[in-house]
Amino acid sequence: MSPFDTPEAETRGTLLTLDLGALVANWRALGARAGTEAGAVVKADAYGIGIEPAVTALSRAGCRSFFVAHLSEAVRARAVAAEATIYVLNGLLPGQSAAFARHDLSPVLGSVAELQEWAAFRQGNGAVRPAALHVDSGMNRLGLAPDEALSLAGDGSELVDAAGVGLLMTHFAASEDEGDPANARQIAAFAGIAAAFPELRASLMNSSGHFLKGCPAYQLTRPGYALYGGNPTPGQPNPMQAVVSLQSRIVQLRDVEAGTQVGYNGRWTAKRRSRLATICLGYADGYPRNASGTDTVPGGTALVGGVPCPFVGSVSMDLIILDVTEAPENAARRGEPVTLIGDALDLETVGAGAKTIGYEILTSLGRRHARRYVGV
Ligand SMILES: *Cc1c(COP(=O)(O)O)cnc(C)c1O
């Protein structure tokens, strides 16, 4: 039976299979590895997996702390996780306090202005859940500078108290690169700040942080990518279970002679007599156009009957052309499924074929796919 033989998938060109059992297993494995509470980063629609199914599955498994980027994402998480603490990493934008309170959400405060605005709101409206304080330990993106944070500790702590801060956090800039000396500097900077706020819980580890030697776990971790099967130790075997697989179908086959130009603007030329298969997904389905395979730069790959087949020519809006000359004949047939993500095609390989990273592949997963959730 073809995986497309379901009422939803039969009308579509692509099928996304999402293994929520693997998601939960990855969350448990990361918590066990850290030896502390693991939260879950579910921003960007849980990295494309679907925020409601992901938060529901993780809540049932015991996850109590979620992180999103935008307030709107927090509202969606709250709808399926009534009890959880839900932190909004992008912080408090002017005038958002009432909306945070209405949904019982926790801003990640990253400036004195944000602390003041949230503290003033809390004064008039009583206690809400603890907020988080973001300290910048070297990324220069979000958060208070270390000196600024230290000046708000100890005797100067009224503002942090008034804002109801319960969690101190910072974010790594290069934790996937074990050899980057910035990691040790960030670990040391954050240790100094955490020591100045002994009454607060602290959070440092993102996915790769769990695998970084000498990285303290503190009281809460914030994995994202690894939960969804991304490799937190690039270049080494992936310790996580695969969560995402993406399949499409062959619409047409053709044989072309050596010298034939293929696709928009003829950017790929057959070097031998070749069998080509056109499959029904493209950049409008979230597969980057940068995965085009040209005469000079190789692009993405699909598995046809388990055999890697290169993209040839430009990725179109709704179609991609594969060179299936080497694929088994019984798989390179009209209607047969091909794999774009899954099995040998892990997220890092797919990202490299599109000149990007696995994170961007995941978060670009389109709205056009049929979705099948398994492992629940
Ligand atoms: C996105 C994000 C994370 C999760 O990072 P991963 O590398 O996906 O594990 C953790 N903390 C912050 C502040 C983030 O922005």
Side-chain angles (χ1 to χ4, degrees):
M1 191 183 126
S2 161
F4 285 89
D5 285 345
T6 69
E8 201 205 348
E10 70 177 356
T11 64
R12 310 252 187 169
T14 50
L15 171 63
L16 193 58
T17 304
L18 303 152
D19 187 341
L20 298 175
L23 170 70
V24 166
N26 287 338
W27 175 75
R28 290 208 171 102
L30 291 167
R33 189 180 171 87
T36 196
E37 181 189 342
V41 181
V42 294
K43 60 194 181 192
D45 202 23
Y47 290 50
I49 269 67
I51 192 166
E52 287 86 5
V55 170
T56 301
L58 290 166
S59 292
R60 283 197 188 130
C63 183
R64 289 174 281 126
S65 304
F66 293 94
F67 295 85
V68 296
H70 294 292
L71 184 48
S72 62
E73 297 170 341
V75 171
R76 286 175 63 190
R78 173 59 78 220
V80 292
E83 305 297 326
T85 303
I86 303 171
Y87 295 98
V88 177
L89 292 165
N90 284 1
L92 185 70
L93 284 162
Q96 283 185 334
S97 294
F100 269 90
R102 201 178 321 128
H103 298 282
D104 197 13
L105 303 170
S106 302
V108 177
L109 305 166
S111 66
V112 169
E114 286 177 68
L115 279 162
Q116 285 170 339
E117 184 167 338
W118 186 242
F121 178 83
R122 283 182 91 247
Q123 259 195 331
N125 295 272
V128 276
R129 290 197 198 233
L133 183 64
H134 198 158
V135 180
D136 191 294
S137 56
M139 189 165 181
N140 291 300
R141 186 179 69 171
L142 279 180
L144 292 158
D147 287 354
E148 218 176 355
L150 291 173
S151 73
L152 298 176
D155 292 343
S157 73
E158 305 106 66
L159 186 55
V160 170
D161 294 343
V165 172
L167 181 74
L168 189 68
M169 56 168 272
T170 195
H171 189 46
F172 278 121
S175 54
E176 78 289 352
D177 181 1
E178 178 91 53
D180 193 323
N183 293 318
R185 286 200 296 271
Q186 287 193 272
I187 289 169
F190 191 59
I193 293 154
F197 292 93
E199 69 286 4
L200 299 184
R201 301 173 80 218
S203 175
L204 171 57
M205 289 173 163
N206 60 346
S207 293
S208 295
H210 288 74
F211 298 85
L212 202 56
K213 282 190 203 76
C215 184
Y218 292 103
Q219 289 77 37
L220 178 64
T221 71
R222 304 189 313 275
Y225 189 52
L227 292 176
Y228 310 106
N231 188 351
T233 58
Q236 292 169 53
N238 189 348
M240 314 315 299
Q241 293 186 27
V243 173
V244 179
S245 74
L246 177 64
Q247 291 172 299
S248 185
R249 302 178 82 179
I250 296 175
V251 180
Q252 263 202 23
L253 291 130
R254 74 188 62 243
D255 293 307
V256 298
E257 299 301 331
T260 307
Q261 292 189 331
V262 170
Y264 281 122
N265 308 107
R267 291 170 68 203
W268 184 83
T269 311
K271 285 174 199 65
R272 57 176 178 179
R273 194 178 150 74
S274 307
R275 193 156 175 75
L276 306 183
T278 303
I279 61 174
C280 49
L281 96 160
Y283 61 77
D285 301 280
Y287 207 110
R289 191 165 168 277
N290 267 341
S292 299
T294 70
D295 287 329
T296 47
V297 185
T301 308
L303 301 175
V304 181
V307 172
C309 295
F311 293 10
V312 294
S314 287
V315 171
S316 306
M317 188 186 292
D318 318 293
L319 298 163
I320 293 173
I321 306 162
L322 307 176
D323 180 348
V324 297
T325 312
E326 309 294 338
E329 218 167 296
N330 65 349
R333 281 207 194 137
R334 175 171 167 262
E336 285 300 304
V338 306
T339 298
L340 282 306
I341 302 174
D343 299 327
L345 289 179
D346 59 23
L347 292 166
E348 288 67 42
T349 305
V350 176
K355 292 90 189 164
T356 182
I357 55 174
Y359 287 73
E360 193 176 3
I361 298 295
L362 272 186
T363 56
S364 304
L365 290 171
R367 295 159 301 279
R368 263 176 160 183
H369 311 307
R371 282 177 178 244
R372 181 173 62 148
Y373 289 94
V374 300
V376 275

